[in-house]
């Protein structure tokens, strides 16, 4: 098992940040030929997901449609004023898994790994664990 942690600075309140290159680098440095790569973010208002990275409009659509689905200004109990960000984080989840084949991250052709910021801008932590199978 190999662990690596890196930080991501986000620039907007809601932003999908493509972190594929940094995860792929962690996988290549792990020395695991065949296995799995788990990506985890230790946050309650940011998550991680795998989706299309080829066309940046997809990430923009996810940002804008989740903003419509869970508006910031709504009737929430949580006094911090960021319940929408907590709910969007529930929707994308705090982790994802991808296969490692031949020592490399084996995503689908159109896939990328995104840190999903919902309460930025902030500095977020990403943890990558690579294990052999
Ligand atoms: Zn909160």
């Amino acid at each position: 098992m190999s662990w690596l942690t890196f930080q991501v600075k986000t620039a907007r309140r809601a932003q999908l940040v493509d972190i594929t290159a940094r995860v792929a680098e962690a996988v290549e440095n792990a020395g695991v030929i065949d296995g799995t790569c788990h990506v985890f973010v230790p946050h309650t208002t940011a998550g991680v997901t795998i989706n299309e990275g080829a066309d940046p409009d997809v990430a923009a659509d996810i940002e804008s449609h989740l903003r419509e689905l869970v508006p910031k200004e709504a009737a929430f109990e949580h006094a911090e004023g960021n319940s929408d960000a907590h709910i969007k984080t529930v929707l994308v989840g705090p982790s994802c898994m991808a296969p490692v084949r031949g020592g490399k991250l084996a995503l689908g052709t159109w896939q990328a790994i995104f840190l999903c910021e919902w309460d930025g801008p902030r500095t977020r932590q990403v943890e990558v664990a690579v294990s052999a199978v």
Side-chain angles (χ1 to χ4, degrees), residues 21 41 82 96 110 126:
V41 291
N82 63 353
C96 66
W110 307 111
V126 179

Side-chain angles (χ1 to χ4, degrees), residues 1-59:
M1 168 90 77
S2 166
W3 280 96
L4 179 127
T5 301
F6 62 86
Q7 293 189 331
V8 176
K9 282 189 178 175
T10 62
R12 302 192 303 272
R13 183 160 193 276
Q15 181 183 16
L16 268 64
V17 180
D18 188 337
I19 58 170
T20 310
R22 296 180 79 178
V23 175
E25 185 184 352
V27 168
E28 283 162 32
N29 290 337
V32 170
I33 303 304
D34 291 301
T36 55
C37 166
H38 283 90
V39 182
F40 174 80
V41 291
H43 302 293
T44 61
T45 55
V48 67
T49 196
I50 297 176
N51 211 286
E52 177 167 338
D55 179 0
D57 285 346
V58 174

